[in-house]
């Protein structure tokens, strides 16, 4: 015989069946055991008219029967601002933060931060100037648009295949130095110095300018 470590029930069958019993999930509302989380979700909707929070299922480390069932309105509030009562409300839970780019909720701020750092982009120039400010851009085109609107961006043909961060500069002097050092390779050292002293028609975008404008 085998005894279930969760409920104490004795099984007079082979150990494999006891293990299958332990692997079952239990409904926190009525106590019914179900073979999987997917079955628990279907049971909750059909029998109780409630739903499980998918984000909590992934991020809240508790047994299935400790997961909370919500009505549609309760789940909406849970996602946005937290629970009105219960263990999560008592713990200070204030809802699942959402990535505004992906329209996806994450369990907590740490999970959202990890997502933003790995899936979206920050401006390295702004990061150096304001290290305590976290402004993200959805993708590379949005980051480039920011470089063009707020910084100096090299549009020389020789730079077209470079990473956008290699083409962005904090000041006009920085982009001019880049232009003279990188795009004036055929010049002598003295010619480069003279090149940087005069007002030349550099191929770069000043903050707010339209490329080629």
């Amino acid at each position: 015989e085998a005894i279930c470590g969760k409920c104490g029930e004795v099984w007079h069958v082979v150990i494999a069946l006891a293990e299958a019993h332990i692997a079952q999930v239990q409904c926190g509302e009525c106590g019914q055991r179900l073979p999987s989380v997917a079955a628990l979700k279907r049971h909750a909707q059909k029998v109780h008219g409630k739903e499980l929070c998918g984000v909590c299922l992934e991020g809240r480390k508790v047994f299935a029967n400790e997961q909370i069932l919500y009505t549609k309105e309760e789940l909406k509030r849970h996602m946005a601002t937290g629970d009105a009562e219960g263990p999560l409300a008592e713990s200070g839970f204030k809802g699942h933060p959402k990535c505004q780019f992906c329209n996806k909720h994450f369990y907590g701020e740490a999970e959202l931060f990890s997502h933003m750092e790995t899936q979206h982009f920050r401006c390295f120039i702004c990061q150096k100037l304001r290290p305590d400010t976290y402004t993200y851009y959805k993708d590379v085109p949005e980051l480039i648009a920011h470089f063009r609107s707020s910084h100096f961006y090299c549009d020389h043909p020789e730079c077209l295949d470079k990473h956008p961060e290699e083409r962005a500069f904090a000041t006009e002097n920085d982009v001019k130095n880049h232009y003279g050092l990188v795009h004036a390779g055929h010049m002598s050292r003295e010619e480069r110095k003279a090149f940087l002293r005069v007002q030349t028609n550099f191929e770069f975008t000043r903050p707010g300018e339209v490329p080629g404008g």
Side-chain angles (χ1 to χ4, degrees), residues 38-73:
L40 176 60
K41 288 181 179 179
R42 292 192 295 269
H43 166 83
Q45 291 179 333
K46 184 176 180 180
V47 177
H48 304 294
K50 294 184 177 181
E51 300 177 48
L52 287 158
C53 171
V55 181
C56 283
L57 280 174
E58 291 185 10
R60 188 170 176 238
K61 307 304 180 185
V62 296
F63 289 116
N65 66 324
E66 296 177 88
Q67 296 286 1
I68 303 169
L69 299 183
Y70 300 94
T71 65
K72 286 188 177 180
E73 286 302 313

Side-chain angles (χ1 to χ4, degrees), residues 71-202:
T71 65
K72 286 188 177 180
E73 286 302 313
E74 288 171 343
L75 183 59
K76 185 178 179 180
R77 171 177 177 157
H78 165 81
M79 299 294 282
T81 60
D83 297 3
E85 58 184 10
L88 287 178
E90 293 169 6
S91 71
F93 173 71
K94 300 298 182 184
H96 296 300
K98 183 172 72 170
C99 172
Q100 301 299 324
F101 299 132
C102 302
N103 199 32
K104 179 181 178 181
H105 288 273
F106 293 85
Y107 188 74
E109 295 294 338
E111 290 79 9
L112 175 61
F113 178 75
S114 176
H115 167 79
M116 299 302 291
E117 287 288 302
T118 57
Q119 301 301 315
H120 301 297
F121 299 87
R122 293 174 70 187
C123 169
F124 74 99
I125 298 173
C126 293
Q127 193 173 351
K128 288 180 180 179
L129 295 173
R130 297 180 295 277
D132 295 329
T133 300
Y134 293 83
T135 301
Y136 293 92
Y137 301 90
K138 179 180 180 180
D139 48 30
V140 171
E142 281 200 6
L143 180 63
I144 291 174
H146 165 74
F147 285 150
R148 293 191 187 282
S149 65
S150 301
H151 306 298
F152 296 84
Y153 196 69
C154 180
D155 286 304
H156 193 283
E158 292 177 355
C159 272
L160 294 181
D161 292 331
K162 291 185 177 180
H163 190 280
E165 289 189 347
E166 296 181 83
R167 301 168 61 185
F169 300 88
T171 68
E172 189 163 344
N173 280 339
D174 288 341
V175 73
K176 284 183 176 180
N177 285 334
H178 159 80
Y179 208 96
L181 294 172
V182 176
H183 302 308
H186 61 283
M187 296 182 181
S188 67
R189 185 175 180 180
E190 292 303 316
E191 287 174 327
R192 286 180 188 173
K193 288 182 179 179
F195 177 81
L196 293 172
R197 283 197 298 268
V198 299
Q199 292 296 321
T200 308
N201 185 25
F202 293 101

